[in-house]
Amino acid sequence: MSVLSLPADVAEPAADRTVVDRTVVGANLSLPLFRTLSGVLAGHSYLKVVVDRAEDTWHLLDTAAHPFHVNYIATRVLGMDVAELDAALDEFNASVYMDPGRRFLLGVLSLHTDEDAEGRERTFLVLETTEADTMRGELLEFFYGFVRERVDGRLPLLLKPANHGQEEELAAVSEQRVPRVLGHELFGSRTRTPLNPGDATGRLRRFRTVEEYEAAADELGWADIVAMPCLPDAVRRVAGFINTAPITPLSHTNVLASGWGIPNAIVRDLDQLVEKGGLDGAWVRYRVRADAITLERLDEAPELRAPAWHQQRIRLEPPLLEDAPVLALHRLRAADRDRYGTKAANLGELHHVLDSRTADLTAFYGRPRPPRENLYGHLAARLDLHAPSAVELRAAAADFVARTVEAPEGVALPFSLLQRFLTSSPALQQGIGKLKMALELDADDVLDPLCLQLQHLIRQTPVPDSVAGEITRSCRAPLAAGGRLVVRSSSNAEDLPGFSAAGVYDSVTAVRGTAELLDAVRQVWASLLSPRSVRLRHQVGISLDDTYMGVIIQEYVPAALGGVLVTCDPTRREDFRNVYLNCSPGSPEQVVEGEVLPQQYLYNTVEGGGRTVALGSWSEGLPAATRARLADLSLTGRLLQSHFSAPEVDGPLDIEWLLTDQGGFRLVQIRPYAL
C-alpha cells in the first residue's frame, strides 16, 4: 500500500489521522489538503468523502486512486473482494444510498469561486450526494453538520440537493442550519457548457450577428468552425459549432450537430479567448468533452481529410406512389412509412403500442449492464412491483405507458396526393427536371434559385379538385366547426437513423378554413424543395426521385406545458440511466425553435429520482407534483425505446410531447435521436 506524500504547505498528519492508499482518514480538511487529493470534473476540483457513522470518522478519497465510493467501502473498509461486490452490487448500493439507517454517508466536495457583493473573489465548497441518494432531511442535516465540523472554518460550505426529493426534504430545514445552493443556481451561469461531444480541426469563423453570418455563408466550407451567439437553424454543414449565448442540448442546431457528429458547446468567454489568442480566422483544434472544452491554435494549416459525412450515404426504400387513401393516424403502422412518411407511420405505431399492449417494452432493461446481468429489478421497483415474473413485468410496463401517455388523433395524406399534384402541372415537372440536372452536374451556383422558384410555383399552383376534395373531406368535421388545425410534414427523408432533418421541413400551426388548409398543405409540400433540404439530402446521397412528402393534419390541442425529451443524456452518451427533458409553458415548438430558453431536467430511469439542470427563461421551477409527472413521462420514453429502437434497444429516442389543458400527456412526435 502506498503512502501519500504531502506537500510542504500541508501540516503533518495528526495523531488521530492516518494516510494510506492515497486516502486520508479522520483528518480536518484544509484547502491545501483538498487540492492535494482532488481531481477535476467539468472545470471544478472535487474529492469524494465517506462518513462512517459507526466509527464516527470520515475518509477523504483521492479521486484518481478511488473513482468509486462503493468499491472503496467494500474493499478497503469492509474487506470484501471485487467479485463479491459485483455479485451483490445493487443490494450493496441500496444499503449505502437508500437505507434510512445506513452506516455510510457518501458524498462529493467540490471547490467553486464567485464574487461577493463588493466584487471580490470568494472561494467556497459544495457538498452533495449522488443523484440516486434518498437521504431524508434529518440525515442530510447530520451529514452537512459532520462535514462542516471537519472543514476549515474559513471556507464557506454549502449543501447542494442532488435530486428533487432532497430539495423537498430540505424545505423544512432552516437555511441557517444547512446553507444550500441549488444545481441550476450553481451551474446556470457556467462559462462553458458541453452540448455535443466531439473533436474538430478547422478554421474558426466568428460572427457577431445573423446578418454577418448570412453575408459570409456562401464562403463557408466543411473545414470551418462557426462561432456566434446563436446559430441559425439553416446553418451550413461545417466541422463544428460554438455558441456564445445559452442554448439547450435539444435545440434544432444541437440536434443537427448530434446527427452530423460534430462538436458543439456554449463558450461564453469566446471573445476573450479570440482576442487573447488571435483565433478568429485561425486554424484551431476544438475539443468538447463532458469535463472540458478546449480551443488550441495551430501554427499552420493542417493536412485535412474530408469528414466522414462526405462518405455518408443514406439509402431509402423506393416510395410507393400508387393511389392510397387518406387514413386516420391510428390505422397506420411503422411499415407505412413508404406511403405516408416516417412521422405519420411512427405515430400510427404508437397508437398500436398503446391500444394493443402487446409490445415488449422491457427489452432495454433486459440488456446486460456489467456487472449486472440486467436491470429488470430496477424496472420492477420503478413500477412498484415485487419479484414479478417476466410476463407480469411486461404487462405492467405496457399498462404504465398506456396510462401515462396518449397518441394524437389526426389524418395522414399519402405521397400519392403530392404525386398527383406535381403531375398536374407541366411547369412543375419542367422545374423538377432542371433541379435534377443541376444536382447531377453539381451546378452549385444555380441550385438555390431553382429551389426557390420551385417552392414559389408549388405555393401558387392550384390543387386539382380531386386532390383538394380528398383533403377537405378528411377534415370535414373540424372545418365545419371552424376549429384550428395543425399541418405537419411527414417525409420519408426525415426521422431516420443517421438523418433526423430536425427543423428542415415546415409545419403550419394556425390553420382555419378550407383555403388556409390547402395553402398549408402546399407550404409543407414546398418545404421538400427548399435549398437547405435539397442540399442536406444531396450531401448524404438521398436521391430527389426517392424523396416524397406526406402530410399530417390534426386538430389543435391547447397545452399547459410542452417540450422535448431524449432518452439519454446528450452530453454523456455512456450514461444509460438518465433521460433529458426540456419544457416550457405552451407548445414544444418554443423549445426546439429557440424562442425561449426552456427549463431543463434529468430523470434517472434506473434508480429513480430527478434533478433540475436549468430554469431557462423562468424564475422558478415547476411544482413538485408536475415534476413527479415528468418522471413518469421520462420512464415512459425509456420503455418506448425498447420498441421503437428494436432490435438494438440502446438507440435513444427524441420525443415531442404536450401536457394538455385536460391534464394528459400527448406525444406528438417520436423519432430516433442521432448519436
Side-chain angles (χ1 to χ4, degrees), residues 75-89:
T75 60
R76 301 302 186 189
V77 181
L78 299 180
M80 300 169 61
D81 60 40
V82 174
E84 186 181 358
L85 172 63
D86 287 349
L89 182 59

Side-chain angles (χ1 to χ4, degrees), residues 6 51 117 192 211 237 262 279 318 324 342 448 568 588:
L6 300 179
V51 170
R192 300 177 191 174
E211 290 74 21
R237 194 165 186 174
I262 63 174
L279 299 180
T342 311
D448 287 10
C568 67

Side-chain angles (χ1 to χ4, degrees), residues 454-473:
L454 267 172
Q455 285 192 286
H456 177 75
L457 189 56
I458 288 173
R459 295 191 194 100
Q460 300 303 315
T461 298
V463 179
D465 290 343
S466 62
V467 174
E470 290 191 45
I471 295 171
T472 55
R473 282 193 298 274

Side-chain angles (χ1 to χ4, degrees), residues 425-484:
S425 167
L428 280 172
Q429 291 295 297
Q430 184 180 29
I432 291 171
K434 290 180 180 178
L435 180 58
K436 289 178 183 177
M437 184 174 295
L439 290 169
E440 290 173 4
L441 298 175
D442 285 327
D444 195 68
D445 55 332
V446 300
L447 195 61
D448 287 10
L450 283 174
C451 289
L452 294 172
Q453 290 169 15
L454 267 172
Q455 285 192 286
H456 177 75
L457 189 56
I458 288 173
R459 295 191 194 100
Q460 300 303 315
T461 298
V463 179
D465 290 343
S466 62
V467 174
E470 290 191 45
I471 295 171
T472 55
R473 282 193 298 274
S474 70
C475 303
R476 183 178 291 130
L479 286 172
R484 176 178 167 184

Side-chain angles (χ1 to χ4, degrees), residues 237-261:
R237 194 165 186 174
V238 291
F241 295 158
I242 300 175
N243 301 267
T244 59
I247 66 165
T248 82
L250 301 188
S251 65
H252 272 155
T253 51
N254 198 53
V255 172
L256 289 175
S258 178
W260 293 342

